[in-house]
Amino acid sequence: MRSPKDFFQPLAVGAPEPLRQIPFRPSRMIHFFDPGNEKMAAKVPGMVGTADVLCGNLEDAIAADRKEVARAGLVRIAREVDFGDTQLWTRVNSLDSPWVLDDLLTLVTEVGDRLDVIMVPKVEGPEDIHYVDRLLAQLEARAGLRRPLLVHALLETASGVAQVEEIALASPRMQGISLGPADLAASRRMKTTRVGGGHPGYLVRTDPTGESLTEGRTTYQQDLWHYTVARMVDACVRAGILPYYGPFGDIRDTVACEDQFRNAYLLGCVGAWSLHPAQIAIARKVFSPDAAEVAWARRVIAAMGDGTGAVMLDGKMQDDATVKQCQVVVALADDLAARDPELAAAYKEAGE
C-alpha cells in the first residue's frame, strides 16, 4: 500500500502532477463512435456541441481485424477536429487483450494533449488501475504532457463490483465509473440477454386475496441494476469521482431507455452512454434538472436563509436536510446552464 503522503506525487520522472480534485464538466451523455468507420467518423465534427462527451471506441464493438484501423482513425480525428467544450474520450481494449498496450502507447504519445479521459474496460480490482496509472505516467513523461490523463473504470465483472470501493480510490486519476450491464450479467451468470434495462421475469407479485393463487394478483417488474448502481454511486461519492449508467441496447425502445436513465439519475448518476443519436436527446433531457424543480429548489434555499432551522413552504416542511438536497439540484443546474444557452433560458423563465 502506498503512503498517503506519496499519493499525489507523479509516478514517473517528468510526468505531470496528479490532480487533487476531479473537475466537474457536464457529461450527461457519453456518445460512442467507431473512429475506423468512415461514415461515422465524418459525422463527428457535426456532433461537437451536441454531445457532452464523444468517445472513440476501440474495444468490443470493433472487430479484431479492424483494431489498428480504429486506432489510426481516432488519432486522425483527434488531430483534425476542434472539439471545443466537448470532451474527447476513448475506450481502449481490455487489459487482457493483445491490443491495449499499442492503444495506450499510440494515443498518449501522439494525441495525449487532445484526450480528456481513457476508459478502461472490465476492471477487476484496484491492481488494474495501478498498472494503468504507472504506465500512463511513463507515457506522459515521454510525450511531455503537462496535464495528467484521467481514467474511467468500467464495472463489468462480479470481481469489480465486489471491489468497487477500492477501484474508486485506486488513483488520483480516477474520473468516474460506468456500469457495463451486459458483460456484468455474463460475469454473474445472470439469465438475461438484454443490454441494460429490466426483464419481465424479474418481478414481485401481490399476495393472494382469496383461495386462488393465480387470480387477481398484480405483478410489478423490478430493476435488475438497482443494487449495483446504488453501490457504485456510493463508492464514487466517497472517492470524489463521478458515477454513470452505461448502455441501453434497445435503440427502438426510447420509453424504456428514458426510464432506465431516469432511475440512474435519481440514484445519483451524472450521465449515461448513448449508442445512437436518439439517445443523446434522452440523456440531455433526463440528466438536466427540470426547470420547475430548479425554481422550487431556489425558493427553498431563499426561504431557509442561513440554512438552519425549519420553515413551511406551500404546506411542506423544509429544513437543513432539504436545503442540502436543493443545493445539489441548483449546483447542477448552474453548471449546465453555463454551457447550455437553452437550459439557461428555461431556468431563468421558470424562476420569474
Side-chain angles (χ1 to χ4, degrees), residues 118-171:
I118 293 176
M119 279 188 169
V120 181
K122 301 177 181 64
V123 174
E124 296 274 1
E127 65 278 0
D128 289 345
I129 302 301
H130 297 160
Y131 168 76
V132 174
D133 195 5
R134 176 79 71 174
L135 180 56
L136 288 179
Q138 294 168 337
L139 295 174
E140 289 166 346
R142 172 188 287 185
L145 299 185
R146 297 191 175 184
R147 64 173 177 83
L149 288 161
L150 300 181
V151 169
H152 185 102
L154 304 191
L155 203 58
E156 300 179 285
T157 68
S159 175
V161 174
Q163 301 181 82
V164 66
E165 292 82 8
E166 291 85 354
I167 291 169
L169 292 165
S171 167

Side-chain angles (χ1 to χ4, degrees), residues 64-325:
D65 60 356
R66 295 186 59 253
K67 297 292 187 181
E68 293 184 6
V69 173
R71 188 188 304 129
L74 183 56
V75 170
R76 179 182 57 81
I77 290 170
R79 287 173 172 169
E80 296 178 358
V81 177
D82 181 1
F83 284 87
D85 287 335
T86 296
Q87 300 176 60
L88 177 61
W89 294 19
T90 184
R91 178 170 72 167
V92 297
N93 286 282
S94 60
L95 298 182
D96 62 353
S97 77
W99 306 289
V100 64
L101 188 57
D102 285 336
D103 290 343
L104 295 173
L105 285 169
T106 301
L107 296 175
V108 177
T109 56
E110 296 191 21
V111 291
D113 58 332
R114 307 301 303 277
L115 287 172
D116 294 286
V117 175
I118 293 176
M119 279 188 169
V120 181
K122 301 177 181 64
V123 174
E124 296 274 1
E127 65 278 0
D128 289 345
I129 302 301
H130 297 160
Y131 168 76
V132 174
D133 195 5
R134 176 79 71 174
L135 180 56
L136 288 179
Q138 294 168 337
L139 295 174
E140 289 166 346
R142 172 188 287 185
L145 299 185
R146 297 191 175 184
R147 64 173 177 83
L149 288 161
L150 300 181
V151 169
H152 185 102
L154 304 191
L155 203 58
E156 300 179 285
T157 68
S159 175
V161 174
Q163 301 181 82
V164 66
E165 292 82 8
E166 291 85 354
I167 291 169
L169 292 165
S171 167
R173 293 183 189 276
M174 286 296 296
Q175 179 271 344
I177 301 177
S178 284
L179 170 67
D183 279 295
L184 180 56
S187 173
R188 284 175 167 170
R189 303 190 189 96
M190 294 169 65
K191 309 307 184 288
T192 175
T193 57
R194 300 181 175 205
V195 179
H199 192 288
Y202 192 68
L203 52 83
V204 293
R205 189 183 304 269
T206 57
D207 291 342
T209 55
E211 294 184 0
S212 173
L213 296 179
T214 58
E215 296 179 3
R217 300 183 69 177
T218 303
T219 61
Y220 299 91
Q221 186 170 317
Q222 302 296 290
D223 184 358
L224 286 165
W225 309 110
H226 180 90
Y227 156 77
T228 307
V229 172
R231 183 171 179 184
M232 178 184 71
V233 168
D234 285 346
C236 288
V237 170
R238 180 188 178 205
I241 64 177
L242 305 175
Y244 298 78
Y245 183 78
F248 187 88
D250 191 342
I251 304 300
R252 299 169 301 173
D253 194 348
T254 55
V255 174
C257 177
E258 182 171 335
D259 290 340
Q260 186 68 67
F261 284 6
R262 182 165 289 106
N263 287 348
Y265 169 73
L266 291 173
L267 280 173
C269 289
V270 301
W273 297 10
S274 56
L275 307 179
H276 185 275
Q279 294 181 342
I280 293 178
I282 297 172
R284 176 178 290 106
K285 172 185 176 182
V286 169
F287 290 98
S288 302
D290 181 75
E293 184 180 19
V294 175
W296 167 257
R298 294 192 191 281
R299 284 187 62 200
V300 172
I301 293 171
M304 280 293 296
D306 65 1
T308 63
V311 299
M312 294 296 294
L313 194 62
D314 295 350
K316 301 176 182 178
M317 189 201 76
Q318 310 297 329
D319 60 10
D320 59 336
T322 53
V323 166
K324 293 174 185 175
Q325 291 176 292

